[in-house]
Amino acid sequence: MTTVIVTEKPSVARDIAQVLGLSKQNKGYIEGPGFQVTWAYGHLVGLAEPHQINSAWKAWKIQDLPMLPDHWPLEIMPGTAEQFRVIKDLLKAPSTEKVICATDAGREGELIFRYIYEKAGCRKPVERLWISSLTAESIQKGLTQLKPGRDFDSLADSARARSRADWLVGMNL
């Protein structure tokens, strides 16, 4: 069985892979016994643009304002489809037993992971690596102190609220 670790950046993936002794470099991830470490390039997935939610919103007419979606679909960001596919394939692989969210410790890092996880349709158990330093010692210690992903649901909700508020203000003003 395999644990997939999702980081926010390739450099963080390399640091974690080194601590775990993983050395097999693949397209979009690094692997070794029991682990696959992959990365986003920041935001791989984001909220859909107005025209992707409602085709009438493509024309930007004043009478259509305010645009108030009744649902919030997620879309793969331009230029990131290949890396998203790599992550999705790893997350959905039958051999994947669990997932570790190792994006940056904070609201935005949590949102980056949650949007990828949700868009991929993953339902595997999640643990959270919460570290503020990328030294080998910090990574090792963090890996021994993983927290259940659900412990960060409030942080994810806060991030989603901020993301949706930004969309509403940005698209309507």
Side-chain angles (χ1 to χ4, degrees), residues 25-30 38-39 82-83 85-86:
Q25 181 69 50
N26 297 291
K27 183 131 177 100
Y29 67 102
I30 305 165
T38 188
W39 53 86
E82 187 175 337
Q83 185 62 18
R85 184 195 50 75
V86 167

Side-chain angles (χ1 to χ4, degrees), residues 39-113:
W39 53 86
Y41 295 111
H43 292 272
L44 293 184
V45 176
L47 295 176
E49 293 293 320
H51 69 277
Q52 294 171 307
I53 298 171
N54 181 340
S55 60
W57 292 344
K58 188 170 187 167
W60 291 93
K61 297 177 196 159
I62 193 77
Q63 61 268 26
D64 290 335
L65 296 176
M67 293 181 282
L68 302 171
D70 58 3
H71 66 290
W72 296 94
L74 298 174
E75 294 294 328
I76 300 165
M77 303 301 280
T80 67
E82 187 175 337
Q83 185 62 18
F84 175 78
R85 184 195 50 75
V86 167
I87 296 171
K88 180 180 177 180
D89 289 349
L90 293 173
L91 293 177
K92 304 275 290 201
S95 62
T96 298
E97 180 178 40
K98 72 176 178 177
V99 179
I100 296 174
C101 170
T103 50
D104 291 355
R107 185 173 68 181
E108 206 60 25
E110 193 68 24
L111 184 68
I112 287 168
F113 172 77

